[in-house]
Amino acid sequence: MENQITPEQIAKHYSAAMDSVNLINGTKPEGMDDAEWADTIARNKEHLNIMLAKDFWTTEDLTPLQAAAE
């Protein structure tokens, strides 16, 4: 049913994906150990890969998502 997604839903998905991009491109939070940080990065990259596989994207720039997911 992905072809029935609304523009507002697409915008929310894109915003959530960009949150993952910003987290991946950011710095480890103070107080978080290296293993937790590595797990957080891995989970967010997986999120981006799932989102990149969706077929509902229209004119969104997926370049930042692709770069961060690598």
Side-chain angles (χ1 to χ4, degrees):
M1 302 305 151
E2 288 181 347
N3 58 353
Q4 296 179 14
I5 194 165
T6 67
E8 293 79 16
Q9 290 169 318
I10 293 171
K12 286 182 182 182
H13 284 299
Y14 189 76
S15 177
M18 287 303 298
D19 287 343
S20 287
V21 168
N22 292 330
L23 186 142
I24 291 166
N25 292 333
T27 58
K28 180 178 78 167
E30 189 175 321
M32 181 180 279
D33 68 37
D34 290 343
E36 285 178 294
W37 180 239
D39 184 57
T40 298
I41 295 296
R43 284 185 284 113
N44 279 272
K45 286 186 176 195
E46 179 63 23
H47 172 239
L48 291 177
N49 284 313
I50 290 167
M51 296 312 295
L52 286 165
K54 301 294 182 182
D55 66 357
F56 53 65
W57 301 115
T58 56
T59 61
E60 296 78 20
D61 180 8
L62 301 180
T63 306
L65 283 66
Q66 294 163 335
E70 294 179 349

